[in-house]
Amino acid sequence: MSDITNEIKKRRTFAIISHPDAGKTTLTEKFLLYGGAINLAGSVKGRKASRHAVSDWMEIEKERGISVTSSVLQFNYDGYCINILDTPGHQDFSEDTYRTLMAADSAVMVIDGSKGVEAQTIKLFKVCVMRGIPIFTFVNKMDREANDPFELIDEIETVLGIRTCPINWPIGSGKNFKGVYDRQKETITRFYAANNGQKEVDSVEVNLGDANLDDIIGAENHRVLMDEIELLDGASDEFDLERVQAGKLSPVFFGSALTNFGVETFLRHFLDMTTTPLPRNSDVGEISPFCDDFSAFVFKIQANMNKAHRDRIAFMRICSGKFDAGMEVFHVQGNKKIRLSQPQQMMAQERHHVTEAYAGDIIGVFDPGIFSIGDTLCTAKKPFQYEGIPTFAPEHFAKVRQIDTMKRKQFIKGIEQIAQEGAIQIFQEFNTGMEEIIVGVVGVLQFDVLKFRLESEYRVEIRLEPLPYEHIRWIENDDIDVASLSVTSDTKKIKDLKGNPLLIFTHPWSIRTVEERNEGLKLSEFGRN
Ligand code: G4P
């Protein structure tokens, strides 16, 4: 096997999806700890107060003490080279969060055991399903009172529509959390709650048939466990790696990230079950990651990461071959050969200059304003283009007006550039031109980012008037007379910059009504690029 093939086979690139507070950061910290990437758990993102110190990213980020950008962490563990893509939550949830999932080969879904499946998880999950990537579930916080595990499993299956296969099973939760049962090994890992604020817990492994099990986990817990094992064996789907890798079956693990219970087992199983870098579709068919030529696509463009330079960083996912610093590549959409300068990679929280990287890795390169989201770079003799990244549905809309009408030109330039980076989407009234601009964003923070950037970079002040719409659908039919579509009173017809027609709705139920009223109308939640 060539060295390049070897390197690519070591790669595992995944995203962690969850609702804020489910424990994504804590779990990531524990993963990094195993990889030896950091010495101290707690320093992944420099959370809360210490965040300012570690981040020189956008001003707004500093002002608010939140992270606007999503990052990539790379570390080595047990012969694997692992890339974790961070998907930001809270107010900084944005289209970038979705796009990051386009660069992942699998997803780890963290669920808070006492809350079950929450809103943000559902949104991110849908994107993973669209891509057909494997999804692994970690039910976290079992050291706290949690919902009944059967109910949790049932909720994942019904709300998310994916079959599940528990790999381990919890014995109690909260004060009565006794550990987990490994269904394959038929062993129990006993959890001992930590004293004195100590965060790592002790654990001991015993066999299911151990004569002392009543003493170890308690007679009642033992009885319940035996019943539950029987129920599980009868009712749950069997483990099937092919279905897991096709994204049809989610292996489920229970544990506690904070106390580091069940984390390493999870990581090991996950690495065994997840895939090496996946092939990607292009206009000349599927491209194998092991193909000799280098290729990559841009999935994120980040403006002004470094305040000293007003420039942009284009993040790209390497899809095939090997990248060497300074190498000349063909930028397909720009129809030009270019040299990728200042390639960077994230190791834990530090940015490093990279000299080489392989399929599966993410690199950030200096962008003098030539890249757009979805662009392909390759060294193949016959250049090709990777499938575009879909446009994700914004959920907040506002009319935007510039305060000083003399600055029309800067205003249009600025707003178009920011839209090109993919931070916002801009639309127009269906029947009029650019005079009325409607901005759509996935997370409301993007409105502030837009306002701030137009002021600081383009010297244009704007006023945003929120609109009541919350749902958007792209019209997929090519041959439809949009003007004559029959819509409800809370629906608005708009178009994007390319002239594609869309509908925005205030109420979700209007979507169905409009579909019913217009036979053959095909609406989509994802826009084509
Ligand atoms: P997020 O990235 O998904 O938003 O969640 P994060 O890891 O920041 O965790 C959210 C809160 O939940 C944190 O508490 C964290 O310590 C706690 N937590 C994470 N995993 C577990 C777990 O397995 N058990 C228990 N009991 N708690 C867990 P916090 O008080 O909000 O933050 P901090 O002061 O601990 O940093």
Side-chain angles (χ1 to χ4, degrees):
M1 218 173 353
S2 81
D3 284 355
I4 296 187
T5 307
N6 253 335
E7 283 295 337
I8 298 172
K9 283 202 163 154
K10 276 167 42 181
R11 263 59 191 174
R12 297 292 183 277
T13 303
F14 65 96
I16 306 189
I17 62 173
S18 69
H19 194 80
D21 275 348
K24 180 168 60 90
T25 313
T26 313
L27 189 69
T28 309
E29 283 167 3
K30 299 293 145 91
F31 284 167
L32 291 179
L33 208 57
Y34 290 118
I38 51 171
N39 308 322
L40 238 194
S43 52
V44 172
K45 283 199 292 194
R47 277 187 293 177
K48 299 187 181 153
S50 59
R51 224 175 226 168
H52 297 194
V54 296
S55 168
D56 59 353
W57 296 6
M58 292 175 70
E59 195 88 21
I60 194 161
E61 184 175 304
K62 274 196 237 156
E63 277 174 10
R64 303 197 170 197
I66 49 163
S67 153
V68 180
T69 51
S70 49
S71 56
V72 187
L73 304 162
Q74 187 181 65
F75 67 98
N76 293 301
Y77 171 76
D78 201 21
Y80 294 98
C81 176
I82 299 168
N83 293 302
I84 304 186
L85 295 150
D86 185 22
T87 52
H90 290 281
Q91 314 93 303
D92 42 351
F93 190 74
S94 73
E95 249 192 294
D96 266 353
T97 316
Y98 290 133
R99 285 193 203 104
T100 298
L101 294 176
M102 304 306 288
D105 295 313
S106 63
V108 168
M109 174 165 76
V110 182
I111 288 176
D112 181 332
S114 68
K115 303 231 172 91
V117 179
E118 296 174 87
Q120 188 168 303
T121 314
I122 301 176
K123 290 184 200 171
L124 294 166
F125 180 86
K126 276 192 194 167
V127 180
C128 297
V129 169
M130 176 191 75
R131 294 210 42 228
I133 56 174
I135 301 165
F136 299 82
T137 307
F138 186 80
V139 181
N140 192 28
K141 304 199 187 181
M142 292 308 295
D143 59 310
R144 290 231 183 114
E145 262 350 285
N147 298 354
D148 177 84
F150 283 107
E151 274 170 27
L152 282 165
I153 294 286
D154 192 52
E155 193 184 350
I156 295 167
E157 296 202 344
T158 50
V159 176
L160 300 176
I162 189 169
R163 302 295 299 176
T164 60
C165 173
I167 304 295
N168 65 20
W169 194 251
I171 305 165
S173 71
K175 287 203 178 75
N176 186 39
F177 184 50
K178 299 287 182 251
V180 289
Y181 167 67
D182 184 316
R183 294 181 66 206
Q184 200 210 341
K185 289 197 326 205
E186 300 191 356
T187 55
I188 287 146
T189 311
R190 173 70 162 93
F191 170 92
Y192 292 100
N195 295 319
N196 315 327
Q198 171 202 340
K199 290 210 167 167
E200 296 266 320
V201 295
D202 289 330
S203 60
V204 168
E205 200 173 290
V206 285
N207 290 323
L208 185 62
D210 194 296
N212 297 323
L213 204 54
D214 273 358
D215 294 338
I216 297 169
I217 60 171
E220 177 59 12
N221 286 321
H222 187 183
R223 193 191 56 75
V224 172
L225 176 67
M226 296 314 286
D227 285 352
E228 293 190 343
I229 291 174
E230 201 181 316
L231 209 61
L232 261 184
D233 290 347
S236 79
D237 283 29
E238 273 189 32
F239 180 75
D240 175 346
L241 190 60
E242 248 175 61
R243 287 180 69 211
V244 170
Q245 296 198 338
K248 304 266 182 253
L249 180 71
S250 180
V252 180
F253 299 79
F254 293 83
S256 160
L258 184 68
T259 56
N260 208 355
F261 184 79
V263 176
E264 192 165 21
T265 330
F266 171 67
L267 183 60
R268 280 185 186 282
H269 278 291
F270 165 72
L271 292 170
D272 268 354
M273 294 176 192
T274 190
T275 65
T276 52
L278 293 171
R280 300 251 157 184
N281 285 333
S282 77
D283 56 357
V284 297
E286 210 173 69
I287 307 290
S288 160
F290 300 104
C291 145
D292 285 343
D293 297 311
F294 161 87
S295 67
F297 73 90
V298 177
F299 67 94
K300 185 174 115 167
I301 293 175
Q302 177 67 57
N304 301 334
M305 282 172 86
N306 185 337
K307 220 184 149 229
H309 330 113
R310 288 245 172 256
D311 52 26
R312 320 198 294 187
I313 301 279
F315 286 91
M316 48 190 79
R317 148 87 198 218
I318 303 178
C319 300
S320 69
K322 180 186 177 195
F323 168 81
D324 287 301
M327 115 197 259
E328 204 176 53
V329 302
F330 189 69
H331 174 212
V332 181
Q333 278 78 356
N335 197 22
K336 234 190 191 158
K337 272 197 174 164
I338 53 166
R339 224 171 267 286
L340 297 179
S341 47
Q342 300 176 14
Q344 303 177 340
Q345 218 167 21
M346 302 286 285
M347 293 286 267
Q349 61 189 243
E350 287 159 34
R351 245 172 279 151
H352 287 261
H353 283 273
V354 284
T355 49
E356 54 182 48
Y358 298 86
D361 289 342
I362 312 297
I363 52 169
V365 303
F366 169 73
D367 172 21
I370 57 171
F371 295 124
S372 294
I373 304 274
D375 282 4
T376 302
L377 297 114
C378 64
T379 57
K381 281 205 184 70
K382 267 198 171 161
F384 58 83
Q385 272 185 39
Y386 279 111
E387 244 175 22
I389 292 184
T391 310
F392 299 97
E395 291 177 15
H396 308 276
F397 297 87
K399 234 178 222 174
V400 51
R401 296 219 168 84
Q402 91 249 42
I403 289 170
D404 179 353
T405 46
M406 299 297 284
K407 292 192 169 171
R408 186 74 188 161
K409 250 187 159 164
Q410 283 111 297
F411 168 61
I412 298 290
K413 184 176 164 213
I415 202 160
E416 282 188 347
Q417 273 190 3
I418 295 169
Q420 188 203 356
E421 285 166 17
I424 55 159
Q425 291 180 41
I426 43 180
F427 308 99
Q428 291 159 257
E429 296 274 344
F430 190 71
N431 295 319
T432 56
M434 208 58 180
E435 54 272 15
E436 280 280 292
I437 294 182
I438 296 168
V439 178
V441 295
V442 169
V444 280
L445 179 71
Q446 299 310 116
F447 282 140
D448 293 349
V449 172
L450 172 69
K451 205 164 186 295
F452 177 84
R453 289 194 50 196
L454 281 174
E455 276 169 28
S456 67
E457 292 169 41
Y458 300 89
R459 307 269 162 247
V460 178
E461 268 187 78
I462 56 161
R463 189 178 304 125
L464 288 159
E465 286 169 31
L467 294 169
Y469 309 100
E470 287 181 8
H471 308 273
I472 189 166
R473 289 294 180 272
W474 278 264
I475 298 175
E476 298 234 303
N477 315 57
D478 290 326
D479 51 353
I480 208 154
D481 177 14
V482 179
S484 65
L485 279 181
S486 160
V487 296
T488 53
S489 58
D490 70 324
T491 307
K492 190 177 182 66
K493 296 171 187 175
I494 56 168
K495 60 186 177 193
D496 64 18
L497 286 188
K498 291 180 191 149
N500 297 318
L502 302 100
L503 299 176
I504 44 179
F505 307 85
T506 314
H507 301 292
W509 56 83
S510 298
I511 303 171
R512 173 93 65 86
T513 311
V514 169
E515 277 172 332
E516 281 167 2
R517 279 199 206 164
N518 301 275
E519 216 189 307
L521 176 68
K522 276 196 223 124
L523 299 178
S524 162
E525 256 185 89
F526 301 109
R528 285 175 291 178
N529 250 333

